[in-house]
């Protein structure tokens, strides 16, 4: 799996968009970008993943740069329940996922 | 999304005893399941990968005789911590890969405390 780099922590005001960046400059052509989050004392929750195109679902949007070297996860209207550690992982489909340190997002009232 | 359950959610046991943790994919079939361990304030560490009907593949440094993994069906994998010691106390999380996009879904985790 390609190495990913994320900021250690970020703050976001409740109701505002949370934009979480991820750098994956060594990603290979067949590696997807996966995003998971882990709320305290729970298992990771799948959020979204993509290969080249931007993706959107009911939870978030994933914006992948044209060169695929970085991506941004967007939570359009952050709530207090979105406070969690967010993991960005680059991996081939079907491979096991290797977790890095992630970004600790704190949503503040 | 797909649902993965784990049982028990937490367990306390005496040193030297064995503990079995079950992982089930509730609404999809999972040919591959994974077991992770997480220590406080640390990220998830992969312990082993198991495929239905075959032996598990363990990560370097994980003792296969201590952490027994059985993947007997497409919806059930078990992790047995044998002769548990206090240093085995941790948060154990399973995941199952499945669905149309072969995405990995995680269970809620099992907190093990060995006294």
């Amino acid at each position: 799996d390609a190495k990913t780099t994320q900021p250690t922590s970020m703050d976001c005001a409740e109701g505002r968009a949370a934009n979480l960046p991820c750098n994956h400059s060594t990603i290979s052509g067949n590696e997807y970008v996966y995003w998971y989050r882990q709320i305290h004392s729970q298992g990771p929750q799948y959020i979204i993943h993509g290969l080249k195109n931007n993706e959107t679902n009911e939870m978030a949007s994933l914006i992948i740069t044209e060169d695929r070297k970085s991506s941004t996860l967007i939570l359009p209207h952050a709530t207090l329940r979105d406070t969690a550690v967010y993991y960005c992982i680059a991996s081939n489909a079907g491979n096991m996922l290797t977790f890095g340190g992630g970004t600790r997002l704190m949503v503040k009232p | 999304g797909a649902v993965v359950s784990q049982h028990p959610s937490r367990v306390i046991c005496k040193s030297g005893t064995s503990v079995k943790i079950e992982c089930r994919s509730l609404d999809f079939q999972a040919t591959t399941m994974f077991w992770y361990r997480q220590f406080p304030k640390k990220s998830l560490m992969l312990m082993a990968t198991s495929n239905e009907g075959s032996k598990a593949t363990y990560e370097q440094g994980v003792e296969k005789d201590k952490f027994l993994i059985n993947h007997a069906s497409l919806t059930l994998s078990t992790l047995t911590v044998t002769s548990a010691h206090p240093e085995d106390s941790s948060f154990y999380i399973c995941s199952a890969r499945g669905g149309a996009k072969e995405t990995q879904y995680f269970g809620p985790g099992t907190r093990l405390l060995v006294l």
Side-chain angles (χ1 to χ4, degrees):
Chain A
D1 294 352
K3 178 179 166 57
T4 60
T5 304
Q6 299 177 253
T8 304
S9 63
M10 290 182 63
D11 289 346
C12 176
E14 188 180 19
R16 305 298 292 268
N19 297 289
L20 292 90
C22 180
N23 182 285
H24 31 79
S25 58
T26 61
I27 195 169
S28 63
N30 53 357
E31 285 185 313
Y32 287 76
V33 179
Y34 292 87
W35 283 86
Y36 286 79
R37 72 180 182 184
Q38 187 176 26
I39 296 170
H40 183 61
S41 295
Q42 298 181 25
Q45 178 188 22
Y46 167 78
I47 301 174
I48 199 167
H49 75 284
L51 185 63
K52 296 180 182 178
N53 300 322
N54 298 336
E55 302 285 344
T56 295
N57 62 22
E58 64 279 4
M59 290 184 69
S61 294
L62 173 60
I63 308 298
I64 303 174
T65 58
E66 194 169 340
D67 63 8
R68 301 187 70 238
K69 292 185 177 182
S70 65
S71 61
T72 301
L73 179 75
I74 301 173
L75 307 179
H77 305 287
T79 69
L80 298 180
R81 287 180 293 182
D82 292 322
T83 293
V85 178
Y86 287 76
Y87 296 98
C88 167
I89 302 167
S91 179
N92 289 312
N95 272 13
M96 82 286 191
L97 300 175
T98 302
F99 285 77
T103 295
R104 186 172 298 277
L105 175 68
M106 179 73 73
V107 181
K108 297 184 174 181
Chain B
V3 180
V4 176
S5 70
Q6 274 185 249
H7 178 79
S9 58
R10 59 178 61 211
V11 57
I12 301 173
C13 70
K14 293 182 179 179
S15 187
T17 60
S18 295
V19 174
K20 180 186 282 188
I21 303 169
E22 289 188 352
C23 175
R24 293 181 185 272
S25 56
L26 297 185
D27 51 2
F28 66 100
Q29 293 186 328
T31 53
T32 304
M33 289 186 171
F34 306 87
W35 286 95
Y36 292 80
R37 181 168 54 181
Q38 186 175 33
F39 292 107
K41 299 189 185 301
K42 300 292 185 182
S43 189
L44 284 76
M45 295 293 294
L46 179 67
M47 298 175 68
T49 302
S50 74
N51 291 296
E52 183 262 340
S54 61
K55 290 183 179 180
T57 301
Y58 291 81
E59 294 300 298
Q60 193 172 9
V62 179
E63 299 175 57
K64 62 179 181 180
D65 294 329
K66 180 169 184 60
F67 299 99
L68 301 179
I69 292 172
N70 184 278
H71 192 163
S73 78
L74 288 173
T75 59
L76 173 64
S77 176
T78 60
L79 168 69
T80 301
V81 183
T82 63
S83 187
H85 290 124
E87 57 264 32
D88 298 325
S89 298
S90 188
F91 192 47
Y92 292 86
I93 308 168
C94 74
S95 73
R97 187 171 67 207
K101 297 184 179 180
E102 288 287 290
T103 303
Q104 234 178 290
Y105 298 96
F106 287 80
T110 296
R111 192 161 300 282
L112 171 64
L113 176 61
V114 184
L115 300 177

